[in-house]
Amino acid sequence: MGDNAAAKNQHHHHNQVFDISIDVLPQNDSKCFDDDGRLKRTGTIWTASAHIITAVIGSGVLSLAWAIAQLGWIAGPAVMILFSLVSFYTSSLLSDCYRTGDTVSGKRNYTYMDAVRSILGGAKYKACGLIQYLNLFGIAIGYTIAASISMMAIKRSDCFHESGDKNPCPMSSTPYMIMFGVAEILLSQIPDFDQIWWLSIVAAVMSFTYSSIGLGLGIAEVAATGTIKGTLTGISIGTVTQTQKIWRSFQALGDIAFAYSFSVILIEIQDTIKSPPAESKTMKKAAKLSISVTTTFYMLCGCFGYAALGELAPGNLLTGFGFKHPFWLLDIANATIVVHLIGAYQVFCQPIFAFIEKKAQQQWPEGYFITKEFNVPVPGFRPYNLNLFRLVWRTVFVIMTTVISMLLPFFNDVVGILGAFGFWPLTVYFPVEMYIAQKKIPKWSTRWVCLQMLSMACLMISIVAGAGSIAGVILDLKVYRPFKTSY
């Protein structure tokens, strides 16, 4: 049947009338399989939106109050709206690249990388792969650190509470990172992206919970004091030096860019959507819905956090309210962050897992270790397919991310760097280039020039945001010298 569809596709270029029959035939040929011979996809606008919201409303939301505090009441919200529009526009361009050629019957690209390879070719494909996987690897490390910070916050608030604020409660993040790593080793054995939909829904619910608690505390604080803190231009020179103000504003751009990065798994999500209608149609609706939801939410969290805490808004909103607030509420918020990060880690690591496993199978198709699957009976569920290579390689991967997290506990700025460097190539450059190639937009036409200008503008933003975050890491390293008292 696959060949049949391919033959039709060939035919389709000569004869436009075929459009109609292509739509109908392959879909109705088989009740259980799609036009590419895989099991029918069942995703809808709702599951796709849940995946996007899980990927987007990550721990990034907690740094938004800090970002707005650097930029102020005018630039902060404006930058946020700007990023949401760019993300929506480029994700629409990208969703048209799910199929090569025709958006209804072209060959499917299962991953972002497949799309780059089939539309732009080899060299760009390799560059894209390197950037994408480094970015995902960095996100895995960032999430490990963020989760350990939240676990420590719970422990610390309980310890403060018991000792009546007498005990400084010293603690190490290492055991918490190990706990997180163990949970990820277990979950990473789930074989496929489409089998973690339940994890996505749990994670999405969690992210709403902790963001809402942060928002609620912000609103309560504003209501209690009756004042809205913050200024039109952000943190004042005096609180920080002129240079710091510039670097911090740049870093704030990186934080906001990171808070919107989901293009890197957009095509993987689109590959779970059922058709007809064309997957790109559903995907554009899902992108519009989820970006509107997240932007509204970001605005509320960022703005209320800033209104409540003013210039003192910390990098993680939930640590800014001190321990005078109901401590159990902050504990719940931090616990939901941990659960959300456990899920999000999987959503972001699945593409890496799939890539390495596919490569290994191509390299050693006969290898017993790589291809053999064992059926392990699970009481009450379907038997689990255990694959030795998957077991070993995914475990090693999680251990690596955990060890690096322990060595670099101030990874927040590094995540800013990743946000900055991942933003331009993955969210803007490749989608724009693929769209131009796919739609054959002539060079120097108005449309081409506008797309290139958008790409250049975003490149500049990425560069300054990256510079700001690197400056942040350098400052961190000054503070992080062991045996030195930091003032």
Side-chain angles (χ1 to χ4, degrees):
M1 201 201 84
D3 298 341
N4 182 7
K8 278 211 189 69
N9 278 350
Q10 244 108 61
H11 204 88
H12 158 74
H13 291 300
H14 307 300
N15 187 347
Q16 287 304 316
V17 184
F18 260 79
D19 249 13
I20 306 147
S21 61
I22 279 187
D23 251 17
V24 184
L25 274 177
Q27 251 104 24
N28 296 356
D29 262 356
S30 157
K31 295 278 176 282
C32 322
F33 296 98
D34 269 333
D35 55 359
D36 57 345
R38 296 199 178 184
L39 277 177
K40 270 238 180 286
R41 293 162 175 78
T42 53
T44 59
I45 175 171
W46 303 112
T47 59
S49 301
H51 278 312
I52 296 175
I53 289 172
T54 308
V56 180
I57 299 192
S59 46
V61 65
L62 298 171
S63 65
L64 292 176
W66 181 87
I68 291 186
Q70 310 314 309
L71 299 166
W73 278 122
I74 300 173
V79 166
M80 219 176 266
I81 288 176
L82 183 77
F83 273 108
S84 69
L85 294 175
V86 170
S87 291
F88 173 64
Y89 181 64
T90 58
S91 64
S92 307
L93 299 185
L94 195 55
S95 60
D96 281 337
C97 302
Y98 171 62
R99 289 175 180 270
T100 308
D102 181 12
T103 44
V104 178
S105 58
K107 182 182 148 312
R108 292 170 187 264
N109 297 309
Y110 300 115
T111 62
Y112 192 98
M113 305 271 297
D114 287 347
V116 174
R117 178 167 45 193
S118 66
I119 298 170
L120 297 177
K124 286 185 176 164
Y125 162 73
K126 290 199 170 100
C128 168
L130 189 66
I131 296 165
Q132 182 181 353
Y133 293 125
L134 275 174
N135 208 12
L136 292 174
F137 183 66
I139 289 172
I141 295 169
Y143 281 2
T144 307
I145 294 169
S148 74
I149 290 172
S150 287
M151 292 187 221
M152 283 160 67
I154 297 175
K155 186 87 182 78
R156 186 167 274 145
S157 93
D158 295 353
C159 155
F160 275 147
H161 210 77
E162 281 161 20
S163 68
D165 296 353
K166 304 278 182 296
N167 181 350
C169 304
M171 58 184 60
S172 155
S173 57
T174 309
Y176 300 100
M177 289 185 184
I178 292 172
M179 276 154 52
F180 184 80
V182 169
E184 292 307 341
I185 287 175
L186 295 172
L187 285 171
S188 66
Q189 299 307 319
I190 299 172
D192 254 331
F193 197 63
D194 51 342
Q195 292 172 6
I196 57 172
W197 57 269
W198 54 274
L199 207 56
S200 262
I201 290 170
V202 170
V205 171
M206 292 299 159
S207 58
F208 273 116
T209 311
Y210 66 70
S211 312
S212 311
I213 292 177
L215 175 60
L217 289 172
I219 295 173
E221 184 92 2
V222 172
T225 56
T227 52
I228 290 183
K229 294 183 177 165
T231 55
L232 294 180
T233 53
I235 198 160
S236 52
I237 312 236
T239 321
V240 291
T241 63
Q242 177 94 43
T243 335
Q244 267 176 321
K245 163 98 178 154
I246 295 171
W247 287 130
R248 282 173 149 215
S249 304
F250 288 167
Q251 199 183 334
L253 292 176
D255 281 13
I256 296 174
F258 182 70
Y260 275 108
S261 57
F262 74 98
S263 57
V264 51
I265 50 174
L266 179 127
I267 290 197
E268 278 90 338
I269 294 172
Q270 195 166 339
D271 191 40
T272 62
I273 294 176
K274 63 174 178 217
S275 60
E279 298 87 354
S280 59
K281 268 201 180 125
T282 312
M283 196 63 199
K284 282 175 190 167
K285 282 185 192 148
K288 190 185 248 164
L289 176 70
S290 45
I291 292 177
S292 318
V293 170
T294 45
T295 304
T296 311
F297 212 65
Y298 279 1
M299 289 299 236
L300 287 170
C301 283
C303 294
F304 269 106
Y306 182 38
L309 302 169
E311 300 194 338
L312 300 175
N316 172 348
L317 181 60
L318 291 173
T319 57
F321 292 101
F323 300 107
K324 58 184 189 298
H325 277 275
F327 78 108
W328 52 268
L329 188 62
L330 288 167
D331 286 358
I332 292 173
N334 280 304
T336 53
I337 292 181
V338 175
V339 177
H340 171 258
L341 290 173
I342 288 174
Y345 183 100
Q346 288 303 322
V347 173
F348 280 106
C349 290
Q350 285 292 339
I352 305 186
F353 294 159
F355 173 72
I356 296 284
E357 279 147 37
K358 200 168 120 194
K359 276 273 174 271
Q361 271 170 356
Q362 287 166 353
Q363 195 71 38
W364 300 283
E366 302 300 310
Y368 178 82
F369 177 62
I370 287 168
T371 49
K372 180 82 180 116
E373 303 235 331
F374 300 95
N375 272 347
V376 181
V378 182
F381 290 98
R382 285 179 311 185
Y384 172 73
N385 290 340
L386 174 75
N387 170 307
L388 289 178
F389 176 68
R390 189 169 63 221
L391 178 72
V392 173
W393 131 249
R394 292 187 180 189
T395 305
V396 169
F397 176 86
V398 176
I399 291 172
M400 254 165 40
T401 59
T402 313
V403 169
I404 295 175
S405 309
M406 291 175 194
L407 298 175
L408 286 179
F410 49 94
F411 204 72
N412 238 345
D413 299 302
V414 184
V415 169
I417 295 178
L418 285 165
F421 287 137
F423 171 71
W424 177 70
L426 299 173
T427 306
V428 184
Y429 175 76
F430 285 117
V432 164
E433 290 297 307
M434 286 198 283
Y435 183 77
I436 289 174
Q438 180 96 308
K439 298 277 184 242
K440 305 193 168 44
I441 297 171
K443 235 182 189 172
W444 304 113
S445 62
T446 317
R447 191 135 196 225
W448 187 88
V449 171
C450 291
L451 285 166
Q452 296 297 349
M453 278 164 60
L454 170 74
S455 186
M456 283 300 105
C458 292
L459 173 62
M460 295 311 297
I461 292 175
S462 266
I463 290 172
V464 297
S469 298
I470 290 171
V473 171
I474 293 169
L475 291 173
D476 271 355
L477 282 169
K478 282 185 183 154
V479 182
Y480 268 98
R481 283 206 195 110
F483 319 119
K484 259 200 167 165
T485 326
S486 51
Y487 298 107

